[in-house]
Amino acid sequence: MKIGIVSGEISGDTLGAGLIRELKVFYPDAHFVGIGGEKMIAEGLDSLFPQDRLAVVGIVEPLKRLPELLSIRKQLYLYFTQHKFDVFIGIDSPDFNTSLEEKLRKTNIKTVHYVSPSVWAWRQGRIKKISRAVDLMLTLLPFENAIYEKHGIPVKFVGHPLADKFPLENDDEADKKALKALLDKKQIPCDTSRPILACLPGSRASEVNLIGPVLWQSIKECMGTVKNLQVIVPAANSARREQIEAQLKEHPDLPVSVVDGFSHEIMAASDGVLLASGTTALEAMLLKKPMVVVCKIAPLSYYLILSLLKVPYLSLPNLLANKLLVPELIQKDATVENITKDVLDMLSSPNKHIKKFTELHQSLMANADVESAKAIHNLLSEKHNA
């Protein structure tokens, strides 16, 4: 069995690793080839290109890298068709993956898209291309199936793998002890009797460039009010750590600890999370942590997206709840004054949404790794029985 799989995001690397692990139950001798990160590679993926080459966000930004992205996509297409792959699985990265899926499907390679593009939120015309491109759509969120069923696209809700991995109830004391032990080994001071703010400015260079400066200034303001506040920044990777540390040199008097990785452990032990919009907001929700969500992208991309947006919220907790549960500070609203106010409010009422976050957590639990692998196995069984 030859299985092509492409993930262009760090969050997709986690999904892909779990999927590969469960697919090996059905196909123990399968050959997995494509693009992925460290977790997928550890599960046996032969990654033909570095994952971060696909990590671009917005509408305008990918145009700057278009020749490289087109070249990668062409090379993948040739590889999968020349080696007669059985199935291709695109994980998220919809603009890149659905075009590849559409071309591969014409060559009789089965195609699966894992993580629904946000066609329910914006650019709804994409549903026509998706209909041509995919044999099966795997969705993570319960409200996503309706649009695919309406257009006759085979779809299965598998839940979110992170919902299966995070406990429904937190043990705050144990989480704080675990973080202290972890940071002690790294010789990073951590006093669990003081409030902890986790700050995650994003996994992409463009995010950190735009969001980082306003976050550091906001944190400085917060520390002026909450004198014993600790701030810990789990960097997504070594490149982001270097970028964050370079920005923090502009604030030599700001006592912020930057750590390589361990975002889940740091968020779990925190009293609140200040984060860039994305999967991290879902992770904070699953950890039942209050949060302030910040989003800043290139102005042209923002105004193009705004003109196409069909939903009132940006962050997943608010979309799932269909109401404003957590603050969203977007573009011009992401000011030092607004961020500081919302962070201080958050730290003053840390247990505000625990009950609702728990309900939303339960709605996403469906054993996603196993169910997605089963759905792909069923699709391939239909192909071989045809």
Side-chain angles (χ1 to χ4, degrees), residues 103-114:
K103 291 186 69 177
L104 291 173
R105 195 181 186 204
K106 291 176 181 176
T107 69
N108 205 34
I109 294 174
K110 288 293 184 182
T111 58
V112 178
H113 196 87
Y114 189 15

PDB file of all heavy atoms in Angstrom, residues 103-114:
ATOM      1  N   LYS A 103      -5.956  17.034  -9.328  1.00  0.00           N
ATOM      2  CA  LYS A 103      -5.145  16.455 -10.401  1.00  0.00           C
ATOM      3  C   LYS A 103      -4.934  14.952 -10.187  1.00  0.00           C
ATOM      4  O   LYS A 103      -5.018  14.161 -11.135  1.00  0.00           O
ATOM      5  CB  LYS A 103      -3.794  17.164 -10.470  1.00  0.00           C
ATOM      6  CG  LYS A 103      -3.862  18.609 -10.961  1.00  0.00           C
ATOM      7  CD  LYS A 103      -2.478  19.195 -11.137  1.00  0.00           C
ATOM      8  CE  LYS A 103      -1.747  18.538 -12.289  1.00  0.00           C
ATOM      9  NZ  LYS A 103      -0.405  19.160 -12.522  1.00  0.00           N
ATOM     10  N   LEU A 104      -4.672  14.563  -8.943  1.00  0.00           N
ATOM     11  CA  LEU A 104      -4.422  13.142  -8.659  1.00  0.00           C
ATOM     12  C   LEU A 104      -5.676  12.304  -8.849  1.00  0.00           C
ATOM     13  O   LEU A 104      -5.609  11.162  -9.313  1.00  0.00           O
ATOM     14  CB  LEU A 104      -3.891  12.984  -7.233  1.00  0.00           C
ATOM     15  CG  LEU A 104      -2.485  13.530  -6.978  1.00  0.00           C
ATOM     16  CD1 LEU A 104      -2.143  13.467  -5.490  1.00  0.00           C
ATOM     17  CD2 LEU A 104      -1.441  12.741  -7.782  1.00  0.00           C
ATOM     18  N   ARG A 105      -6.820  12.856  -8.499  1.00  0.00           N
ATOM     19  CA  ARG A 105      -8.080  12.104  -8.629  1.00  0.00           C
ATOM     20  C   ARG A 105      -8.361  11.740 -10.088  1.00  0.00           C
ATOM     21  O   ARG A 105      -8.932  10.677 -10.378  1.00  0.00           O
ATOM     22  CB  ARG A 105      -9.225  12.934  -8.057  1.00  0.00           C
ATOM     23  CG  ARG A 105     -10.497  12.123  -7.806  1.00  0.00           C
ATOM     24  CD  ARG A 105     -11.601  12.993  -7.256  1.00  0.00           C
ATOM     25  NE  ARG A 105     -12.765  12.204  -6.890  1.00  0.00           N
ATOM     26  CZ  ARG A 105     -13.998  12.685  -6.826  1.00  0.00           C
ATOM     27  NH1 ARG A 105     -14.217  13.971  -7.108  1.00  0.00           N
ATOM     28  NH2 ARG A 105     -15.008  11.911  -6.492  1.00  0.00           N
ATOM     29  N   LYS A 106      -7.927  12.608 -11.003  1.00  0.00           N
ATOM     30  CA  LYS A 106      -8.133  12.329 -12.428  1.00  0.00           C
ATOM     31  C   LYS A 106      -7.305  11.144 -12.904  1.00  0.00           C
ATOM     32  O   LYS A 106      -7.588  10.575 -13.962  1.00  0.00           O
ATOM     33  CB  LYS A 106      -7.776  13.571 -13.254  1.00  0.00           C
ATOM     34  CG  LYS A 106      -8.751  14.729 -13.078  1.00  0.00           C
ATOM     35  CD  LYS A 106      -8.289  15.961 -13.834  1.00  0.00           C
ATOM     36  CE  LYS A 106      -9.241  17.127 -13.631  1.00  0.00           C
ATOM     37  NZ  LYS A 106      -8.762  18.370 -14.296  1.00  0.00           N
ATOM     38  N   THR A 107      -6.284  10.767 -12.127  1.00  0.00           N
ATOM     39  CA  THR A 107      -5.444   9.621 -12.498  1.00  0.00           C
ATOM     40  C   THR A 107      -5.867   8.341 -11.767  1.00  0.00           C
ATOM     41  O   THR A 107      -5.134   7.366 -11.741  1.00  0.00           O
ATOM     42  CB  THR A 107      -3.962   9.913 -12.179  1.00  0.00           C
ATOM     43  OG1 THR A 107      -3.784   9.943 -10.756  1.00  0.00           O
ATOM     44  CG2 THR A 107      -3.517  11.229 -12.779  1.00  0.00           C
ATOM     45  N   ASN A 108      -7.053   8.387 -11.139  1.00  0.00           N
ATOM     46  CA  ASN A 108      -7.624   7.228 -10.429  1.00  0.00           C
ATOM     47  C   ASN A 108      -6.953   6.947  -9.079  1.00  0.00           C
ATOM     48  O   ASN A 108      -7.049   5.844  -8.554  1.00  0.00           O
ATOM     49  CB  ASN A 108      -7.581   5.954 -11.292  1.00  0.00           C
ATOM     50  CG  ASN A 108      -8.653   4.950 -10.883  1.00  0.00           C
ATOM     51  OD1 ASN A 108      -9.744   5.342 -10.466  1.00  0.00           O
ATOM     52  ND2 ASN A 108      -8.338   3.672 -10.977  1.00  0.00           N
ATOM     53  N   ILE A 109      -6.256   7.942  -8.530  1.00  0.00           N
ATOM     54  CA  ILE A 109      -5.764   7.851  -7.158  1.00  0.00           C
ATOM     55  C   ILE A 109      -6.858   8.382  -6.236  1.00  0.00           C
ATOM     56  O   ILE A 109      -7.386   9.475  -6.460  1.00  0.00           O
ATOM     57  CB  ILE A 109      -4.474   8.668  -6.969  1.00  0.00           C
ATOM     58  CG1 ILE A 109      -3.334   8.055  -7.792  1.00  0.00           C
ATOM     59  CG2 ILE A 109      -4.074   8.749  -5.492  1.00  0.00           C
ATOM     60  CD1 ILE A 109      -2.049   8.878  -7.778  1.00  0.00           C
ATOM     61  N   LYS A 110      -7.238   7.596  -5.239  1.00  0.00           N
ATOM     62  CA  LYS A 110      -8.254   8.038  -4.291  1.00  0.00           C
ATOM     63  C   LYS A 110      -7.724   9.233  -3.489  1.00  0.00           C
ATOM     64  O   LYS A 110      -6.547   9.272  -3.114  1.00  0.00           O
ATOM     65  CB  LYS A 110      -8.644   6.912  -3.334  1.00  0.00           C
ATOM     66  CG  LYS A 110      -9.480   5.806  -3.992  1.00  0.00           C
ATOM     67  CD  LYS A 110     -10.850   6.328  -4.392  1.00  0.00           C
ATOM     68  CE  LYS A 110     -11.739   5.218  -4.959  1.00  0.00           C
ATOM     69  NZ  LYS A 110     -13.052   5.758  -5.391  1.00  0.00           N
ATOM     70  N   THR A 111      -8.597  10.182  -3.213  1.00  0.00           N
ATOM     71  CA  THR A 111      -8.172  11.394  -2.506  1.00  0.00           C
ATOM     72  C   THR A 111      -9.029  11.636  -1.273  1.00  0.00           C
ATOM     73  O   THR A 111     -10.252  11.497  -1.301  1.00  0.00           O
ATOM     74  CB  THR A 111      -8.261  12.624  -3.426  1.00  0.00           C
ATOM     75  OG1 THR A 111      -9.601  12.767  -3.903  1.00  0.00           O
ATOM     76  CG2 THR A 111      -7.303  12.501  -4.603  1.00  0.00           C
ATOM     77  N   VAL A 112      -8.344  12.011  -0.199  1.00  0.00           N
ATOM     78  CA  VAL A 112      -8.996  12.312   1.077  1.00  0.00           C
ATOM     79  C   VAL A 112      -8.491  13.671   1.540  1.00  0.00           C
ATOM     80  O   VAL A 112      -7.292  13.962   1.440  1.00  0.00           O
ATOM     81  CB  VAL A 112      -8.648  11.248   2.146  1.00  0.00           C
ATOM     82  CG1 VAL A 112      -9.300  11.595   3.489  1.00  0.00           C
ATOM     83  CG2 VAL A 112      -9.068   9.858   1.679  1.00  0.00           C
ATOM     84  N   HIS A 113      -9.398  14.495   2.026  1.00  0.00           N
ATOM     85  CA  HIS A 113      -8.968  15.755   2.649  1.00  0.00           C
ATOM     86  C   HIS A 113      -9.345  15.704   4.118  1.00  0.00           C
ATOM     87  O   HIS A 113     -10.508  15.499   4.475  1.00  0.00           O
ATOM     88  CB  HIS A 113      -9.600  16.972   1.977  1.00  0.00           C
ATOM     89  CG  HIS A 113      -8.902  18.250   2.328  1.00  0.00           C
ATOM     90  ND1 HIS A 113      -7.811  18.716   1.628  1.00  0.00           N
ATOM     91  CD2 HIS A 113      -9.095  19.130   3.339  1.00  0.00           C
ATOM     92  CE1 HIS A 113      -7.376  19.838   2.178  1.00  0.00           C
ATOM     93  NE2 HIS A 113      -8.139  20.104   3.233  1.00  0.00           N
ATOM     94  N   TYR A 114      -8.329  15.894   4.976  1.00  0.00           N
ATOM     95  CA  TYR A 114      -8.493  15.775   6.417  1.00  0.00           C
ATOM     96  C   TYR A 114      -8.372  17.182   7.018  1.00  0.00           C
ATOM     97  O   TYR A 114      -7.320  17.802   6.897  1.00  0.00           O
ATOM     98  CB  TYR A 114      -7.402  14.841   6.953  1.00  0.00           C
ATOM     99  CG  TYR A 114      -7.510  14.421   8.404  1.00  0.00           C
ATOM    100  CD1 TYR A 114      -8.668  14.593   9.146  1.00  0.00           C
ATOM    101  CD2 TYR A 114      -6.428  13.816   9.033  1.00  0.00           C
ATOM    102  CE1 TYR A 114      -8.744  14.186  10.459  1.00  0.00           C
ATOM    103  CE2 TYR A 114      -6.486  13.393  10.346  1.00  0.00           C
ATOM    104  CZ  TYR A 114      -7.649  13.590  11.059  1.00  0.00           C
ATOM    105  OH  TYR A 114      -7.716  13.187  12.369  1.00  0.00           O
TER     106      TYR A 114
END
